[in-house]
Amino acid sequence: MRLGCWCVLLLLFVSVASAGRDVDSGSNDTGRNPAPEDSHHQTNSTHHKKAFPVLSFNFDHVRKPFEISLWILLALLMKLGFHIIPRVSHVVPESCLLIVVGLLVGGIIKAFDEDAPVQMLDSKFFFLYLLPPIILDAGYFLPMRPFTENLGTILVFAVVGTLWNAFFIGLTMYGVCQIEAVKLGRVDLLSCLLFGSIVSAVDPVAVLAVFEEIHINELLHILVFGESLLNDAVTVVLYHLFTEFSHKGTVTVADAFLGVVSFFVVSLGGILIGAIYGIIGAFTSRFTSHSRVIEPLFVFLYSYMAYLSAEVFHLSGIMSLIACGVVMRPYVEANISHKSYTTIKYFLKMWSSVSETLIFIFLGVSTVAQPHPWNWTFVVVTVVVCFVSRVLGVVSLTYIINKFRIVKLTKKDQFIVAYGGLRGAIAFSLGFLLPDNEMKQLFLTAIITVIFYTVFVQGMTIRPLVELLAVKKKKESKGSINEEIHTQFLDHLLTGIEDICGHYGHHHWKDKLNRFNKAYVKKWLITGERSTEPQLISFYNKMEMKQAMMLVESGSAAKLPTIMTPVSMQNIQPKEPLKRRAIPSISKSREQEIRKMLRGNLQKTRQRLRSYSRHDLMVDPFEEDVSEVRLRKQRVEMERRMSHYLTVPANRQETPPVRKVAFESEHQVYTYDDSESPKGRRAQTNPRPPDEVHLLSESSTRTNQRATPADEQDDQLKLSRCLSDPGPKKDDDES
Amino acid sequence: MGAAQTRTENKYQDLAEKTGFSQEQIKNLHKRFQYLSGDEETISRDDLRKIPALANNPIRKQIIEAFFDKRNQHQDEVGSFQEIGFEQFLMVMSHFRPPTLKTTDEEREAMRREKLRFLFNMHDTDSDGTITLEEYRKVVEELLSKSGSIGQEAAKAIADAAMLEVASTNVPHMGPDDFYEGITFEHFEQILKGLEMESRMHIRFLDVDAPTMHCGKSKS
């Protein structure tokens, strides 16, 4: 642990020193031009004096990327460091620690009397590079069900709540400034309103950072978080509105009306742009089955383009980004391979994590770097007024909202929603963008104080308060198939009851949307057969995949029956069919289909193994494992079942560890396809049970390939999805 | 007119106490009942089947059957009616009332149990108190009934997996020779504990008098 701390401090000094050195060596341009000239001169005139420089030092060449990388590395090491010190990370949320680190680093840089990289938090870098990954991560993984169920509430909080906050704070501060004692009579109403609109918005970055760690229940999380995302439109409009007005000087009614109109334009326009890009992205992903490696890039780039396009027109970029992610996601996930899905997930998490860390550190650094005109009254009153207006707003809005909600918000819920209204870096950056007048520094100071107060005080105390008030925590859901079945069942049931009652409620419209989606949209945006796959089946496939992965990770499949479920199929199959065969038969044609699909996939595997290129994904033995192990699992179960019914004692062979099987299966791929014609062997379906038992006693692993228990033919369907390209394409090789 | 009105109000009072609806809601539902039954005293299955919007619902049969199921009347009878009157209609509807702010925790528990019981009755078609594998398979099949032949095969696998899950959660240590008869109500409750039925299984019942209810819209 000590070693870690020392390493961190060392890196700190190195980064600061390098920052110092860069300023020493002057700006890029002047630094680089004389240097080559110098060496040129030297080589020309004094080539006989100076030896060839074996080792030279040219830092300017890599200065900018070097600095950026160093900052990011510092941020990440800090993140690592916090978890080494467990006591602190329990009490203090990570965001606070990062700000403190930023303060330290900023202090150190200032102590060296250097120029801090304050420009990091200015509009361009922050809004174009730091913010989008976080928002995309949030939007792409937004839990749709609770979000849509509470959309009305979220919108009311986001729009009405933010408006209320902005005006209340602005007007109160104006009133305060009018008081003689404060000596701030110069501040006009519009500046105060502008200030109010900046500081009123709940910040998604801060909310995410703090709420991630406290694990409260889904409803509260989505309320506060959804509000922080959707209030961007309001903030954008108010900000531009008041900036324009303060230029013009006078405000007419027409201007106010246009302001309202622009709100709708900004929000709906942003959403529209995002939806368009989302649909284009979904459509593109339909054709990526041959170049799986670049699939994740489409998701990222289309979303980023949506953000930038919205920013071009001064529409709400955040809403555009979220709309793009939400629209794109269901279709893209049906089209892309499992690996791409994992890649997208991890890249988004990674980028958003880095961004978040950097934002907080720079917040700390910028605080130290600014001159801070301090006016006690103004700053303290701002903090108090922010808190008061938030509480008032939440309480009164909840009173109204509860009249329309079925599941009401209790007082505890209201408290958490009010207390969770954290301000963050967006407010700071917007403040930075203010035109340079004498009030700007004071405003910035006040904004920083509010941010610090909410992040430190509220962020640190929210966790013990949640414990104290016994707020419901997030329940750990394991993805139960029963719950999924019943969720769907409930949806249909409630729609049906609504139809019988005769009014078109929430469920009716949702059902209509689903049917529209299924009938028209999915056909266009999802490849092949997946477009008609019902949700329940996709869910089931995903669960099977997950289970199979778990099996592989747990190592040998021999342990399987005891660790997974001691209860197996044989326990729930009704006992009557003892008279009939143990394995129900399937139709010949079905079997042919399965054979075809299996062979087709195996053939593709073989082809891929033959050609190696940078653009193709190598068939991962891991995925071979997965399918292998699943076959194995089914085989073991079937084995047990048959040993129960048949008199011939099944030779229970010790199933070899998975890895070994994988290698053999790779070779088996060749021999199976080359030597055997599956048709000949498969012609006999009836006398299969004794055959199987016979084969089981051999230790040949070939039985894995051939043992397609009739019962599990649908597993073969899923097997084809387990491999890299989903969507069973019926090959024509057999026709 | 006055006497008749007070009489209906008394009748509504009884129903209100029994089912928990408000007077307004009962009045609206009565209007709807009369519309469905063609102004008669009772409705039959055909009356419900005539509702056009229900045609697209994959579990239409089960929903209609639930109205005529005697078990949902909470009078410890089994079997099914041929026709039901308004009171029985209301009883079935009362399963879909939401909890209010004033509902205590015990009441919530009772409400949850009642709703789960309703669902259980929908699945347990032969009224023997357990959901067998066959019955569960039927449920999943109906859910996927609009999806063609893929649905048939996958339905069986899904139902099997679900049954397996229930068995392994509730009876974790079964020997290889034990047979899991079927899902009992306690197991059903256990497996759906996480869904918080009392907050999810409800619809909005109109309080205001809407003249043409079947065209009215409401927001939740």
Side-chain angles (χ1 to χ4, degrees):
Chain A
M1 181 179 100
R2 292 249 183 84
L3 190 58
C5 290
W6 279 116
C7 287
V8 158
L9 281 173
L10 189 63
L11 197 67
L12 220 66
F13 278 118
V14 167
S15 70
V16 167
S18 78
R21 190 193 294 277
D22 308 325
V23 181
D24 262 352
S25 56
S27 75
N28 260 348
D29 287 339
T30 52
R32 224 184 290 150
N33 280 342
E37 271 180 14
D38 266 338
S39 58
H40 188 70
H41 276 296
Q42 280 190 321
T43 45
N44 265 350
S45 56
T46 55
H47 61 273
H48 52 273
K49 275 198 226 161
K50 199 166 190 293
F52 182 79
V54 175
L55 197 62
S56 53
F57 187 88
N58 185 3
F59 188 67
D60 291 324
H61 191 53
V62 294
R63 182 168 93 94
K64 200 125 176 93
F66 195 87
E67 268 192 347
I68 295 178
S69 310
L70 216 49
W71 274 108
I72 298 182
L73 204 54
L74 170 73
L76 297 175
L77 285 170
M78 287 295 115
K79 236 171 131 75
L80 272 186
F82 296 148
H83 292 287
I84 303 181
I85 320 171
R87 267 172 300 137
V88 183
S89 61
H90 257 297
V91 177
V92 185
E94 212 172 82
S95 41
C96 302
L97 292 171
L98 288 170
I99 294 185
V100 168
V101 167
L103 286 173
L104 278 176
V105 173
I108 295 176
I109 294 184
K110 202 146 190 209
F112 280 109
D113 210 21
E114 311 290 358
D115 244 341
V118 179
Q119 66 273 24
M120 290 302 180
L121 268 195
D122 81 351
S123 56
K124 191 147 161 267
F125 191 72
F126 176 71
F127 282 111
L128 292 185
Y129 297 113
L130 286 181
L131 192 58
I134 303 181
I135 305 295
L136 181 59
D137 179 40
Y140 196 77
F141 292 110
L142 199 63
M144 277 317 288
R145 191 176 273 266
F147 186 71
T148 46
E149 280 175 8
N150 295 298
L151 192 59
T153 315
I154 294 177
L155 277 176
V156 168
F157 276 133
V159 176
V160 181
T162 312
L163 280 174
W164 156 260
N165 276 346
F167 280 101
F168 187 77
I169 296 176
L171 290 172
T172 318
M173 295 321 294
Y174 182 62
V176 165
C177 289
Q178 296 302 87
I179 301 177
E180 288 300 322
V182 185
K183 294 191 280 276
L184 284 172
R186 307 180 303 279
V187 185
D188 62 331
L189 181 60
L190 279 172
S191 302
C192 278
L193 283 176
L194 187 56
F195 173 70
S197 72
I198 295 177
V199 89
S200 65
V202 178
D203 185 84
V205 181
V207 164
L208 256 181
V210 169
F211 273 47
E212 279 294 284
E213 302 182 0
I214 60 178
H215 299 301
I216 52 171
N217 63 45
E218 208 174 45
L219 172 66
L220 288 178
H221 186 237
I222 200 70
L223 280 181
V224 182
F225 186 56
E227 179 196 341
S228 70
L229 288 176
L230 295 186
N231 65 19
D232 180 61
V234 182
T235 315
V236 165
V237 168
L238 282 179
Y239 185 79
H240 286 300
L241 212 61
F242 289 136
T243 327
E244 285 294 317
F245 287 171
S246 50
H247 281 320
K248 275 173 40 170
T250 52
V251 183
T252 64
V253 178
D255 292 326
F257 176 68
L258 282 178
V260 173
V261 170
S262 92
F263 165 69
F264 285 105
V265 169
V266 162
S267 50
L268 294 175
I271 294 178
L272 187 67
I273 290 188
I276 293 178
Y277 272 102
I279 293 185
I280 301 179
F283 191 65
T284 313
S285 75
R286 191 178 159 184
F287 303 106
T288 55
S289 46
H290 296 290
S291 13
R292 296 261 174 218
V293 194
I294 57 174
E295 268 173 347
L297 280 177
F298 282 117
V299 173
F300 300 144
L301 286 174
Y302 276 114
S303 314
Y304 196 46
M305 294 278 288
Y307 180 76
L308 295 176
S309 310
E311 287 289 322
V312 165
F313 298 103
H314 275 275
L315 303 176
S316 165
I318 290 185
M319 294 185 81
S320 160
L321 201 50
I322 294 175
C324 185
V326 163
V327 167
M328 207 193 262
R329 184 179 175 199
Y331 308 109
V332 161
E333 280 193 354
N335 283 331
I336 60 178
S337 68
H338 187 73
K339 283 192 188 138
S340 300
Y341 170 72
T342 313
T343 309
I344 292 179
K345 191 164 91 157
Y346 277 102
F347 259 85
L348 280 179
K349 297 279 173 212
M350 185 183 79
W351 270 328
S352 69
S353 183
V354 169
S355 277
E356 193 182 294
T357 317
L358 278 177
I359 287 178
F360 282 117
I361 290 192
F362 285 139
L363 203 55
V365 170
S366 310
T367 310
V368 175
Q370 298 290 311
H372 288 299
W374 186 262
N375 185 319
W376 272 104
T377 334
F378 190 82
V379 174
V380 170
V381 171
T382 308
V383 175
V384 170
V385 164
C386 277
F387 189 68
V388 166
S389 88
R390 174 86 183 153
V391 171
L392 282 178
V394 168
V395 169
S396 43
L397 283 177
T398 315
Y399 180 71
I400 302 176
I401 289 173
N402 267 346
K403 293 209 197 309
F404 295 98
R405 277 180 71 91
I406 298 195
V407 181
K408 320 275 182 194
L409 294 175
T410 64
K411 288 219 175 18
K412 266 195 249 173
D413 296 334
Q414 292 174 34
F415 176 74
I416 296 291
V417 172
Y419 208 67
L422 308 174
R423 301 341 190 236
I426 292 187
F428 184 74
S429 309
L430 282 177
F432 231 89
L433 284 175
L434 281 175
D436 258 324
N437 54 22
E438 66 258 15
M439 290 311 298
K440 178 172 167 180
Q441 291 305 327
L442 181 60
F443 283 166
L444 270 180
T445 312
I447 293 175
I448 290 191
T449 318
V450 172
I451 296 178
F452 272 43
Y453 168 73
T454 56
V455 174
F456 277 91
V457 175
Q458 286 180 216
M460 269 201 273
T461 53
I462 199 168
R463 191 193 299 219
L465 277 173
V466 161
E467 305 278 335
L468 195 68
L469 293 176
V471 177
K472 262 191 298 187
K473 294 272 187 105
K474 179 158 71 168
K475 57 176 165 59
E476 293 302 322
S477 60
K478 274 182 313 181
S480 143
I481 184 92
N482 278 294
E483 285 188 3
E484 180 68 21
I485 292 178
H486 281 96
T487 311
Q488 301 251 330
F489 192 82
L490 258 185
D491 273 343
H492 290 299
L493 173 64
L494 293 175
T495 312
I497 299 282
E498 272 189 2
D499 289 331
I500 293 181
C501 263
H503 63 252
Y504 297 159
H506 182 72
H507 290 96
H508 181 95
W509 295 114
K510 203 160 81 157
D511 189 55
K512 263 212 161 94
L513 186 66
N514 276 337
R515 273 189 281 129
F516 172 74
N517 191 13
K518 197 156 125 180
Y520 300 108
V521 185
K522 276 193 182 171
K523 282 210 178 60
W524 280 101
L525 297 180
I526 300 184
T527 50
E529 272 192 20
R530 300 294 295 275
S531 63
T532 49
E533 194 180 66
Q535 192 186 341
L536 192 54
I537 297 187
S538 341
F539 181 83
Y540 180 59
N541 288 343
K542 279 200 192 131
M543 279 206 55
E544 280 278 305
M545 263 292 262
K546 246 193 277 184
Q547 262 202 351
M549 301 278 194
M550 258 166 56
L551 288 181
V552 174
E553 279 167 27
S554 70
S556 147
K559 291 195 301 213
L560 159 59
T562 46
I563 54 169
M564 289 303 305
T565 45
V567 181
S568 74
M569 280 305 299
Q570 138 194 0
N571 291 103
I572 61 176
Q573 287 281 1
K575 285 238 171 79
E576 288 82 85
L578 212 134
K579 304 174 201 107
R580 62 186 175 99
R581 289 187 321 112
I583 307 152
S585 60
I586 49 167
S587 66
K588 269 251 178 57
S589 60
R590 196 67 183 150
E591 220 192 299
Q592 305 294 30
E593 281 176 16
I594 298 164
R595 296 265 119 238
K596 240 202 287 186
M597 267 190 281
L598 257 191
R599 274 185 62 236
N601 280 310
L602 292 172
Q603 266 197 340
K604 275 189 230 134
T605 306
R606 180 176 57 166
Q607 281 162 9
R608 262 182 273 149
L609 282 175
R610 277 196 183 146
S611 72
Y612 174 76
S613 88
R614 202 159 39 114
H615 304 291
D616 293 336
L617 282 176
M618 279 292 284
V619 171
D620 201 347
F622 173 68
E623 286 209 328
E624 292 292 299
D625 279 4
V626 168
S627 49
E628 208 33 60
V629 165
R630 291 175 71 239
L631 273 176
R632 214 161 238 305
K633 167 184 165 194
Q634 305 300 345
R635 206 174 63 76
V636 166
E637 285 200 285
M638 201 191 60
E639 188 189 318
R640 287 181 62 201
R641 202 181 324 150
M642 282 183 311
S643 70
H644 180 79
Y645 288 137
L646 304 164
T647 51
V648 178
N651 203 343
R652 282 185 170 255
Q653 62 185 45
E654 272 310 303
T655 55
V658 174
R659 301 264 170 248
K660 196 158 142 213
V661 169
F663 280 126
E664 286 174 332
S665 79
E666 272 185 49
H667 296 309
Q668 284 305 323
V669 167
Y670 289 74
T671 54
Y672 175 62
D673 258 343
D674 284 349
S675 59
E676 298 170 327
S677 99
K679 268 204 173 131
R681 286 266 202 147
R682 287 278 114 232
Q684 27 156 25
T685 47
N686 277 349
R688 216 186 320 146
D691 253 356
E692 294 292 350
V693 174
H694 215 60
L695 291 168
L696 280 178
S697 56
E698 304 169 14
S699 52
S700 149
T701 53
R702 236 190 271 164
T703 55
N704 292 340
Q705 308 286 18
R706 295 184 52 242
T708 52
D711 240 24
E712 338 292 342
Q713 69 273 23
D714 26 303
D715 283 321
Q716 311 310 339
L717 277 175
K718 286 169 227 135
L719 191 133
S720 60
R721 293 207 181 92
C722 272
L723 303 178
S724 281
D725 18 335
K729 301 193 213 130
K730 302 256 192 305
D731 283 357
D732 311 79
D733 54 288
E734 269 215 324
S735 53
Chain B
M1 194 57 203
Q5 228 173 5
T6 42
R7 228 182 315 130
T8 32
E9 271 171 19
N10 282 340
K11 192 172 71 161
Y12 284 177
Q13 187 63 31
D14 286 338
L15 288 173
E17 278 169 24
K18 224 167 139 197
T19 58
F21 284 116
S22 74
Q23 300 270 9
E24 280 295 327
Q25 288 169 334
I26 297 185
K27 230 192 301 185
N28 283 327
L29 284 170
H30 199 148
K31 276 215 189 84
R32 180 65 181 171
F33 182 83
Q34 281 170 330
Y35 172 76
L36 286 174
S37 69
D39 282 328
E40 292 181 17
E41 287 292 318
T42 58
I43 41 179
S44 65
R45 288 182 175 79
D46 282 325
D47 291 322
L48 288 181
R49 279 191 206 122
K50 275 192 296 198
I51 303 177
L54 267 187
N56 288 314
N57 203 314
I59 53 171
R60 180 170 80 137
K61 237 180 354 155
Q62 276 94 326
I63 298 180
I64 295 181
E65 213 36 60
F67 275 89
F68 294 89
D69 193 335
K70 279 191 186 163
R71 287 172 297 176
N72 290 330
Q73 300 296 327
H74 296 290
Q75 282 167 357
D76 291 330
E77 293 177 354
V78 239
S80 58
F81 296 106
Q82 278 300 99
E83 302 196 328
I84 53 170
F86 181 56
E87 196 178 310
Q88 282 98 3
F89 184 75
L90 260 192
M91 268 311 281
V92 173
M93 282 300 183
S94 73
H95 288 94
F96 294 94
R97 270 179 41 246
T100 63
L101 268 178
K102 301 194 197 75
T103 331
T104 64
D105 279 336
E106 296 96 44
E107 284 174 1
R108 266 177 199 268
E109 271 299 314
M111 208 179 223
R112 182 187 312 180
R113 185 156 294 142
E114 194 184 294
K115 295 186 197 250
L116 282 174
R117 187 87 225 176
F118 186 84
L119 282 182
F120 189 81
N121 289 341
M122 279 183 87
H123 297 328
D124 182 19
T125 42
D126 59 2
S127 310
D128 64 352
T130 55
I131 305 179
T132 59
L133 186 59
E134 279 308 315
E135 288 170 343
Y136 212 16
R137 275 187 186 156
K138 196 105 203 342
V139 170
V140 180
E141 247 174 58
E142 292 287 322
L143 263 186
L144 294 173
S145 58
K146 303 272 173 175
S147 330
S149 66
I150 310 176
Q152 289 298 327
E153 309 295 344
K156 218 146 68 73
I158 293 178
D160 291 349
M163 193 81 169
L164 207 53
E165 199 184 71
V166 177
S168 53
T169 324
N170 283 304
V171 195
H173 303 291
M174 280 180 81
D177 283 335
D178 292 342
F179 179 58
Y180 183 65
E181 297 284 340
I183 310 180
T184 62
F185 184 60
E186 286 78 32
H187 294 173
F188 192 69
E189 259 185 301
Q190 184 67 23
I191 199 79
L192 290 185
K193 213 168 40 159
L195 276 186
E196 282 187 9
M197 264 320 151
E198 75 273 11
S199 323
R200 293 186 72 147
M201 182 166 145
H202 58 75
I203 67 168
R204 171 179 288 277
F205 289 101
L206 296 181
D207 278 329
V208 262
D209 202 3
T212 45
M213 262 187 63
H214 53 278
C215 292
K217 289 186 202 162
S218 75
K219 286 198 285 275
S220 52

